[in-house]
Amino acid sequence: MSITERKFGELKTGEPVRLFHLENASGAYAEVLDYGALLVKVCVPDQNGKLLDVVLGYDDLKSYEKNGCFFGAVIGRSGNRIEGGRFQLDGQEYVLAKNENDNNLHSGPDGFEKKMWKVEECSEKENSITLGRLSPDGENGFPGDFHISVKYEFTEDNELKITYQGESDKTTIANLTNHSYFNLSGEGSGDILDHFLTIHGSYYTPVRDSASIPTGVYEEVAGTPMDFTKAKRIGEEIDADFQQLVYTGGYDHNYVTDHYAKGNVRLIASAYSPVTGIAMDVASDCPCVQFYAGNFVHDEKGKNGHIYGKRDGFCLETQVEPNAVNTADFHSPVLRAGETYRSVTSYRFYIKK
């Protein structure tokens, strides 16, 4: 295992940004920036032993400063949507920016992915880097000084393990996730409609309309195009005449994963490219995962001169339900003052036999 670093660029402010390269003994590696704690590369072998980069992203810092698609982003304090950009905690209302329709999306428009992070630990033994920052009281409208860290570990088993941990001095919202787009045929190889996907979730949260706020109830996936309980091509039913898919232009929905218990890390999803043989298992202790099929990616100038288009990558964002802070029957994203927030998600890459 080895960890190296190099300068990636400079922000508009002139502040230097570093890239950290986490490589295992086989030569597979992951790369992370201290700007946004962004995941910029995951390079793993295909069925012929050739290293392929399986996450979408950019070659330059200027593009990451813009990054309207949230490529590789750590999302915080709250992933996904909050209706009306408003929520209440202990009788006090908090107001956030409305940056998508009438709602707040991913805590933006200036979320964790647009902040500088500090290196808290760099472990050669674990092949890991831990990045941290203080999100001050009132940042983006959220209460409390929130000390947060994100640890990336890349194992000898080609598993990228992401651990989030934090504490706040006031009761706040904590629902962090990673917004990487995966293409197991390699970034820039075209769309992901031929990928096979399994989601271990018998229920999903349908949305009311194209603004993508859930209705507040769970519905079974069985008998609908939303069903991925058995491996199915992503493209098989993505354009079906099914109202939920019409609302969101394809898959962009939250799945309630099976066998959830607090702290229980279990397999929640798997994906596979028949072109390269690369498969990916997703394990997490989160109750839910957002499956987004990249429906709104258009003409993004990505790595290596590639132009990313519609459905050229997919996201599996571990989380609680969208708008959970305003929905009593959903899993709570509330972090009480003095309590510790901790969440783990891993992506393990291997060749499907």
Side-chain angles (χ1 to χ4, degrees):
M1 293 185 177
S2 69
I3 302 175
T4 56
E5 66 174 89
R6 64 175 175 83
K7 184 176 176 180
F8 187 74
E10 289 185 358
L11 298 174
K12 295 173 183 175
T13 60
E15 189 171 3
V17 170
R18 293 179 293 170
L19 178 144
F20 297 87
H21 177 99
L22 312 177
E23 186 170 325
N24 65 23
S26 75
Y29 63 90
E31 292 183 339
V32 178
L33 298 182
D34 60 2
Y35 173 71
L38 291 158
L39 178 66
V40 299
K41 275 190 181 183
V42 178
C43 291
V44 293
D46 68 5
Q47 58 198 355
N48 299 315
K50 179 185 177 183
L51 281 182
L52 285 183
D53 183 0
V54 294
V55 295
L56 275 58
Y58 305 108
D59 288 327
D60 64 285
L61 184 57
K62 186 177 179 181
S63 296
Y64 278 115
E65 286 186 90
K66 184 179 177 183
N67 199 7
C69 294
F70 299 96
F71 290 149
V74 167
I75 302 295
R77 298 182 191 187
S78 183
N80 220 302
R81 295 168 177 88
I82 295 177
E83 184 178 13
R86 296 174 179 269
F87 63 91
Q88 288 195 353
L89 287 178
D90 299 332
Q92 182 173 344
E93 184 174 63
Y94 295 91
V95 179
L96 314 175
K98 296 177 181 179
N99 61 334
E100 187 203 51
N101 298 310
D102 194 41
N103 306 311
N104 178 265
L105 174 66
H106 297 325
S107 307
D110 189 25
F112 283 6
E113 80 284 354
K114 299 291 176 65
K115 310 293 187 184
M116 281 299 298
W117 294 61
K118 293 182 179 179
V119 177
E120 293 186 344
E121 184 181 21
C122 196
S123 171
E124 293 274 355
K125 182 179 179 181
E126 290 187 329
N127 204 34
S128 69
I129 184 165
T130 303
L131 299 162
R133 69 178 301 264
L134 169 63
S135 175
D137 185 23
E139 182 176 72
N140 298 332
F142 292 94
D145 283 343
F146 185 38
H147 292 265
I148 183 68
S149 68
V150 178
K151 177 182 178 181
Y152 288 96
E153 178 183 354
F154 192 63
T155 73
E156 294 292 3
D157 196 29
N158 291 346
E159 179 180 30
L160 180 68
K161 184 177 180 182
I162 308 175
T163 304
Y164 309 91
Q165 188 162 312
E167 290 185 352
S168 176
D169 64 355
K170 293 181 183 178
T171 297
T172 191
I173 303 301
N175 176 37
L176 276 75
T177 192
N178 186 280
H179 205 294
S180 289
Y181 292 68
F182 297 97
N183 186 321
L184 302 179
S185 298
E187 65 82 23
S189 64
D191 66 50
I192 43 78
L193 298 179
D194 64 342
H195 283 46
F196 286 85
L197 177 67
T198 306
I199 300 176
H200 300 290
S202 304
Y203 295 87
Y204 77 107
T205 51
V207 297
R208 292 197 298 254
D209 53 34
S210 59
S212 293
I213 296 296
T215 62
V217 301
Y218 291 175
E219 287 191 6
E220 292 190 26
V221 299
T224 77
M226 311 305 291
D227 191 351
F228 284 90
T229 53
K230 294 181 180 178
K232 180 176 73 177
R233 282 180 60 253
I234 290 174
E236 185 172 327
E237 296 182 283
I238 196 169
D239 291 317
D241 186 17
F242 183 71
Q243 188 60 62
Q244 286 295 310
L245 296 176
V246 173
Y247 281 149
T248 54
Y251 296 107
D252 188 8
H253 289 80
N254 173 72
Y255 284 75
V256 184
T257 55
D258 300 334
H259 308 302
Y260 169 72
K262 189 173 182 179
N264 177 35
V265 178
R266 74 272 182 234
L267 181 67
I268 62 167
S270 299
Y272 162 67
S273 165
V275 175
T276 62
I278 297 175
M280 177 180 78
D281 285 346
V282 184
S284 181
D285 61 359
C286 289
C288 302
V289 64
Q290 183 88 3
F291 167 42
Y292 173 48
N295 309 311
F296 301 107
V297 177
H298 296 292
D299 295 329
E300 281 290 317
K301 295 180 181 178
K303 302 174 191 172
N304 302 307
H306 295 145
I307 305 297
Y308 303 141
K310 181 178 181 180
R311 299 171 180 167
D312 279 3
F314 66 95
C315 303
L316 291 168
E317 306 157 62
T318 54
Q319 59 178 16
V320 299
E321 298 90 340
N323 199 38
V325 67
N326 293 317
T327 311
D329 291 337
F330 285 173
H331 295 86
S332 175
V334 175
L335 177 69
R336 292 290 166 187
E339 293 181 348
T340 298
Y341 171 79
R342 191 173 188 275
S343 179
V344 180
T345 295
S346 68
Y347 303 91
R348 185 176 73 88
F349 302 90
Y350 58 97
I351 299 302
K352 188 173 177 67
K353 303 297 183 183

